[in-house]
Amino acid sequence: MEKTRFENGMEQLQRIDGAGGEAVIQSLQDISPDLGRFIVEFAFGDIYTRKELSLQEREIITIASLLTAGGCEPQLEVHINGALNVGVTPQKIVETFLQCIPYTGFPKVLNAIFVARKVFEERGIEKTGPLS
């Protein structure tokens, strides 16, 4: 039997974000369960299951996009964890953020670096280099 969009989405969400992603979806149940379902079905069920990009590439694009948007630090925290969960190295995360400086500026990159530092510390990851 073929899986539903929701089932595919929940599998991807679990693989990438684990308990953190599920907590986000659960936090919406009392105010907007439809939003949680849209996130699972569309973002994770339709987009993240496409074959053209690896999960590592998708998470790098996601963290760069969240940095660029700005004001998305809670989502950035979830997706930095997700990037680490799918094998993106802390060094590559920091380098991804540094690449954004010419296009988004220092303030947004600083905010992202501070979120990364928090995630790395929570996960017991050592500093990634002299600039981190």
Side-chain angles (χ1 to χ4, degrees):
M1 180 178 214
E2 191 172 318
K3 293 180 185 171
T4 66
R5 291 170 66 215
F6 188 84
E7 290 168 333
N8 283 330
M10 284 304 292
E11 279 183 13
Q12 287 295 73
L13 179 68
Q14 190 65 23
R15 179 179 297 135
I16 297 162
D17 295 324
E22 196 165 326
V24 170
I25 302 306
Q26 288 302 316
S27 74
L28 297 169
Q29 290 306 301
D30 66 336
I31 188 158
S32 184
D34 286 341
L35 178 56
R37 185 174 48 82
F38 297 155
I39 291 168
V40 171
E41 289 179 346
F42 178 69
F44 289 93
D46 293 342
I47 301 301
Y48 270 86
T49 57
R50 296 175 59 85
K51 304 296 182 211
E52 290 75 18
L53 297 172
S54 70
L55 288 179
Q56 288 183 2
E57 291 168 324
R58 291 183 187 285
E59 283 302 299
I60 288 170
I61 292 165
T62 301
I63 63 174
S65 297
L66 291 168
L67 176 157
T68 301
C72 300
E73 287 75 16
Q75 294 80 16
L76 188 57
E77 183 175 343
V78 169
H79 283 282
I80 290 170
N81 273 298
L84 293 166
N85 291 344
V86 298
V88 178
T89 66
Q91 295 81 2
K92 192 167 273 193
I93 291 169
V94 170
E95 195 62 34
T96 297
F97 294 160
L98 294 178
Q99 177 64 30
C100 295
I101 294 170
Y103 306 100
T104 62
F106 282 100
K108 288 181 180 177
V109 172
L110 281 166
N111 289 344
I113 289 291
F114 292 145
V115 173
R117 176 194 285 154
K118 177 181 183 253
V119 170
F120 297 165
E121 287 175 354
E122 288 173 351
R123 290 178 71 138
I125 297 171
E126 296 296 320
K127 289 186 178 183
T128 60
L131 294 179
S132 59

